[in-house]
Amino acid sequence: MMKAVGKKGRRRVGLVFLAFLLCLSTPSYGAVTTTVSSGIALDRLEWTIGSSSSFPISELVFESTIWQTTFNTQWSSDSSRWFVEGTAGFGSVLSGSVVDSDFSLPSMKGLSSRSESDIGGHNSLLFAIESGYRIWTTDRWVVSLVSGFTWTQVRYQIKNGEQTFPPGGSDLSGLNSEYRARWYGPNIGFRWNTDLRPLPLFFFLEGRFWPLIQYSGKGTWNLRTDFEQDPSFTQKDDNGYGGDVTATLRYPITNHWVVEGGWTGRFLRTSNGTDRTFFSNGTEGTVTLLDVSQDTHWFRLGLQYLW
């Protein structure tokens, strides 16, 4: 489990990383590579709200399967240690489930209601820009420091609800709601790649720390007539942190074409934010957004072209 870092410390680190990124310039010449990757992402998002961490009153757990595709372009040069790249991605939410639990006693005890629903669609988005510097190069290894900024979002369409506790509870047959989760912030990390001689393969390992994440959530609950619609509630927090790890295996099939396969894990956290509910009579109420976590595992295949 990731260990929390002080908010002020993460802010300082984030500012240093952004300054590092802004100091870099795109090479005016050199190699350009374009990579298209696609595959299945398994995603789990959880959040709780309540008066304190020991007394959450509500917990939602979203589990979904997403078909994710990304487009990456990198500029680099043999005459310079610097490189710059950008990534854009989109995904289609194929399926999933939502469990919504409410509690009347501390420590998530005294279950007062629970409903289960299907995730019936919507999408994910990803945008990232990154610069790197090759700090160590041998005839087989290259180690680089990288710094960048990432923006990611997922939207869930929630349908086919059923109240499982207490039995014979609310009718959720007309459920057609939505929730959107968005994370963004600077990151810093490393990239290591090596050949696997005598095999004609190359292995890449990357890791990044996100020291200062902004989180925002927005929900529309259509069966709550006492709620406003679009949005029914919003969630905000600027105290997040997280990280990601990527492992990739590449096989050159010609001088220009490379096939690859890999895995990316992304783990994001935040706590002590604000959940604001908007009521249909024009009033609003706030409660503490106790914590949010999102874990994503993306298994992919890709094709790269060297221009």
Side-chain angles (χ1 to χ4, degrees), residues 20-228:
F20 169 73
L21 178 64
L22 293 174
C23 286
L24 305 183
S25 60
T26 303
S28 58
Y29 57 90
V32 177
T33 59
T34 300
T35 307
V36 180
S37 301
S38 196
I40 289 291
L42 305 178
D43 187 83
R44 180 182 175 93
L45 172 72
E46 302 181 42
W47 54 259
T48 58
I49 58 174
S51 57
S52 68
S53 58
S54 62
F55 201 156
I57 60 175
S58 185
E59 176 195 54
L60 272 80
V61 178
F62 303 77
E63 293 187 327
S64 61
T65 301
I66 303 171
W67 186 266
Q68 181 78 31
T69 300
T70 63
F71 299 86
N72 173 276
T73 298
Q74 182 189 95
W75 295 264
S76 64
S77 172
D78 290 338
S79 63
S80 173
R81 290 179 177 268
W82 297 101
F83 59 88
V84 179
E85 64 184 64
T87 302
F90 66 91
S92 177
V93 179
L94 303 178
S95 62
S97 63
V98 184
V99 178
D100 184 349
S101 305
D102 297 325
F103 307 95
S104 58
L105 295 175
S107 303
M108 291 188 177
K109 296 180 180 179
L111 180 67
S112 58
S113 70
R114 172 168 289 163
S115 64
E116 298 180 6
S117 311
D118 294 333
I119 295 177
H122 263 327
N123 56 53
S124 65
L125 296 171
L126 170 71
F127 299 99
I129 184 170
E130 186 169 76
S131 293
Y133 184 80
R134 293 185 284 266
I135 60 172
W136 184 27
T137 302
T138 73
D139 62 337
R140 297 190 63 179
W141 294 0
V142 178
V143 178
S144 305
L145 293 179
V146 294
S147 177
F149 188 92
T150 302
W151 182 100
T152 180
Q153 173 181 290
V154 62
R155 293 172 59 202
Y156 306 111
Q157 191 74 32
I158 307 168
K159 299 180 177 181
N160 304 323
E162 177 184 4
Q163 186 155 355
T164 58
F165 185 87
S170 302
D171 179 15
L172 304 179
S173 58
L175 182 66
N176 185 21
S177 296
E178 181 179 306
Y179 184 74
R180 184 216 70 198
R182 179 182 295 168
W183 307 79
Y184 54 94
N187 50 73
I188 189 170
F190 75 93
R191 179 178 299 171
W192 172 65
N193 60 278
T194 183
D195 65 64
L196 299 180
R197 287 181 288 185
L199 298 175
L201 299 172
F202 294 84
F203 178 71
F204 291 74
L205 181 65
E206 305 174 38
R208 295 173 186 81
F209 173 55
W210 300 38
L212 182 64
I213 298 177
Q214 305 278 333
Y215 176 79
S216 68
K218 184 175 78 170
T220 301
W221 269 200
N222 72 303
L223 295 183
R224 289 292 302 265
T225 58
D226 56 330
F227 283 0
E228 284 284 355

Side-chain angles (χ1 to χ4, degrees), residues 48-52 57 234 273-277 285-290:
T48 58
I49 58 174
S51 57
S52 68
I57 60 175
T234 60
T274 301
D275 178 288
R276 178 172 285 106
T277 301
T286 60
V287 68
T288 301
L289 177 64
L290 297 176

